[in-house]
Amino acid sequence: MSEKSRVRWLCRRGMKELDVLLERFVRSDYDALTERQHAEFVNLLNHEDPDLWVLMMGRAEPDNPVQAELLARIREFQRPPGT
């Protein structure tokens, strides 16, 4: 199994909302991430769904600056144009 396939599998969550957000991000942006960003993305995926949802929605920020950057990138990616 390739690393990207493994990450896609980790994106399959109990919350459909997280599934959609994470899988779209992996499909479009994962290949452009650095190795460190890949590792920190996987670390984000190790959070429990409720905690990850809070981070995704910007109601909390991680202590790790790389994870914060990834979350901002995911949030920006999900915004409709013009908002």
Side-chain angles (χ1 to χ4, degrees):
M1 179 183 285
S2 73
E3 179 65 17
K4 189 173 181 180
S5 295
R6 186 178 81 79
V7 169
R8 276 194 164 139
W9 179 254
L10 292 173
C11 289
R12 298 180 66 133
R13 312 299 293 205
M15 289 180 67
K16 183 65 174 176
E17 296 86 347
L18 285 174
D19 286 357
V20 171
L21 292 172
L22 294 169
E23 288 179 24
R24 284 182 186 170
F25 179 76
V26 169
R27 191 176 327 117
S28 68
D29 281 26
Y30 185 79
D31 292 334
L33 300 178
T34 66
E35 285 186 39
R36 182 164 183 213
Q37 289 171 321
H38 284 167
E40 291 304 332
F41 185 69
V42 170
N43 287 336
L44 277 173
L45 297 176
N46 288 326
H47 285 81
E48 296 292 325
D49 283 0
D51 298 331
L52 184 55
W53 184 250
V54 167
L55 290 169
M56 285 287 211
M57 293 299 100
R59 295 184 185 127
E61 289 295 327
D63 294 332
N64 182 309
V66 176
Q67 289 181 4
E69 175 189 328
L70 286 168
L71 287 164
R73 191 169 172 174
I74 294 168
R75 285 185 214 118
E76 189 63 34
F77 171 78
Q78 297 303 321
R79 282 203 178 111
T83 60

